[in-house]
Amino acid sequence: DGGITQSPKYLFRKEGQNVTLSCEQNLNHDAMYWYRQDPGQGLRLIYYSQIVNDFQKGDIAEGYSVSREKKESFPLTVTSAQKNPTAFYLCASTPTGSPNTEAFFGQGTRLTVV
Amino acid sequence: AQSVTQLGSHVSVSEGALVLLRCNYSSSVPPYLFWYVQYPNQGLQLLLKYTTGATLVKGINGFEAEFKKSETSFHLTKPSAHMSDAAEYFCAVTFYSSASKIIFGSGTRLSIRP
């Protein structure tokens, strides 16, 4: 079955450490997205990529980095520069050039700083 | 500027009562409109979408929404609430002119009283 896989589901990080969240899709979608979700704040866009080897900052990119070396993969690194990283992170994908097509989401990764 | 507004961060209804979740958008170009549902600690999944054609759209789990251009609204309804409908609901909009830009509302948490 086609879909998006995020791993791990739960992640714990010590302050000052970088951590990388995995996102893999087998939907053959060109566009991929990372969102952060905090209680009562909806979804906030961190980064998005419309094509391999290209990505753009979203609304809250500071303290995060991404790469897009393969069409199927869009990993997100939460760096030590992110002051408040505890949140639920969602990865999504869509076909490029198809705004009438819904986004497909992974099951999310809950990151907690300990 | 293009935006989506969901009125009411939390809605509570009795089991069997009408569910009405409100969504208004702001746009100078024709929108594509979506409703997503999110259960605790999971990703978002599509409930229904409006792209073109019939303005009354039926989705999964008995939900429907009507696109009203004159009111710039896309409210979500269900005639009779079920306990399993308790979840967070997000309205979202995309536009042909910015195919990879998805704008989400802030979400509405729906609670169902026995």
Side-chain angles (χ1 to χ4, degrees):
Chain A
D1 288 334
I4 297 183
T5 301
Q6 289 186 241
S7 62
K9 189 168 179 63
Y10 299 95
L11 186 58
F12 297 89
R13 188 195 93 171
K14 293 183 179 179
E15 286 194 25
Q17 285 184 336
N18 292 356
V19 289
T20 298
L21 283 59
S22 172
C23 178
E24 303 276 336
Q25 56 100 357
N26 60 3
L27 298 166
N28 200 35
H29 286 171
D30 291 305
M32 297 186 74
Y33 311 78
W34 273 107
Y35 292 93
R36 171 178 171 143
Q37 188 175 21
D38 297 281
Q41 295 197 44
L43 299 171
R44 292 186 289 170
L45 182 64
I46 305 172
Y47 269 97
Y48 67 101
S49 168
Q50 295 177 274
I51 197 169
V52 174
N53 293 323
D54 187 43
F55 48 83
Q56 287 78 42
K57 293 182 179 180
D59 302 318
I60 56 164
E62 185 175 352
Y64 300 97
S65 65
V66 294
S67 63
R68 188 81 188 279
E69 297 177 0
K70 299 187 300 181
K71 186 175 184 178
E72 301 80 18
S73 179
F74 191 42
L76 173 74
T77 296
V78 184
T79 74
S80 56
Q82 171 50 238
K83 298 307 178 187
N84 185 22
T86 295
F88 190 55
Y89 292 86
L90 286 164
C91 180
S93 71
T94 62
T96 297
S98 301
N100 57 344
T101 302
E102 65 271 23
F104 290 78
F105 284 82
Q107 292 298 294
T109 293
R110 185 165 297 281
L111 173 64
T112 303
V113 173
V114 297
Chain B
Q2 297 158 340
S3 65
V4 175
T5 302
Q6 290 184 241
L7 292 174
S9 59
H10 182 210
V11 170
S12 179
V13 303
S14 298
E15 191 173 19
L18 171 72
V19 174
L20 171 60
L21 304 183
R22 300 178 186 274
C23 174
N24 289 87
Y25 68 92
S26 173
S27 171
S28 57
V29 297
Y32 301 108
L33 295 155
F34 305 80
W35 275 101
Y36 292 87
V37 61
Q38 183 184 33
Y39 298 101
N41 293 312
Q42 294 188 26
L44 279 67
Q45 56 183 281
L46 181 71
L47 265 182
L48 48 79
K49 65 180 179 182
Y50 168 78
T51 55
T52 59
T55 56
L56 181 62
V57 180
K58 296 186 184 298
I60 62 172
N61 302 336
F63 284 93
E64 62 182 36
E66 186 171 12
F67 171 57
K68 291 187 177 181
K69 184 178 179 180
S70 61
E71 299 176 10
T72 62
S73 69
F74 191 55
H75 301 331
L76 182 70
T77 60
K78 182 173 180 178
S80 177
H82 191 272
M83 296 299 291
S84 61
D85 295 327
E88 184 107 23
Y89 292 80
F90 291 92
C91 182
V93 62
T94 62
F95 307 93
Y96 183 80
S97 58
S98 55
S100 293
K101 183 77 170 180
I102 309 171
I103 300 174
F104 285 92
S106 56
T108 298
R109 183 164 62 89
L110 176 64
S111 299
I112 312 297
R113 301 188 300 271

